[in-house]
Amino acid sequence: MPLTIAASYRARARGLLGRDGLTGALLLTPASGVHTFRMRFAIDVAYLDRRMTVLDVHTLRPGRLGRPRLRSRHVLEAEAGALERWGVRRGVRVVIAPGPSAPPQPSVR
């Protein structure tokens, strides 16, 4: 699946604001929490620790504040329902691996 990495302050602050949808996922790093204020669609949020192991997964509707997770160092966002389809759940380790001549692609182990 396509993955966009938001590693700068500006990219993390912008996140998914102003978009009508998302193909693939957005990885916010470093990050320990998110919000959906001014967003137009519901998202799945996976909180990841330093080793990219999923600590928790939630679905947030627009206008919500996700509680920060203390051990979270990264947050993976996708359209609502996507993380369940991809098998992303608590305890799973997310691996980012480049595809053939493409940007890095996340996988689940």
Side-chain angles (χ1 to χ4, degrees), residues 15-87:
L16 298 174
L17 294 176
R19 297 188 192 189
D20 291 321
L22 173 67
T23 301
L26 175 67
L27 180 70
L28 306 172
T29 183
S32 62
V34 297
H35 68 82
T36 58
F37 301 122
R38 296 180 29 221
M39 289 188 59
R40 300 175 183 161
F41 58 98
I43 60 171
D44 285 343
V45 177
Y47 299 90
L48 312 173
D49 67 11
R50 290 181 191 270
R51 296 181 54 219
M52 301 293 284
T53 301
V54 178
L55 301 171
D56 210 354
V57 178
H58 288 282
T59 300
L60 294 176
R61 295 189 325 244
R64 302 289 188 239
L65 177 64
R67 286 189 352 224
R69 301 304 190 272
L70 293 177
R71 292 180 24 232
S72 177
R73 295 297 176 261
H74 316 280
V75 175
L76 185 67
E77 298 179 339
E79 283 197 19
L83 295 183
E84 183 178 354
R85 285 192 310 274
W86 299 335

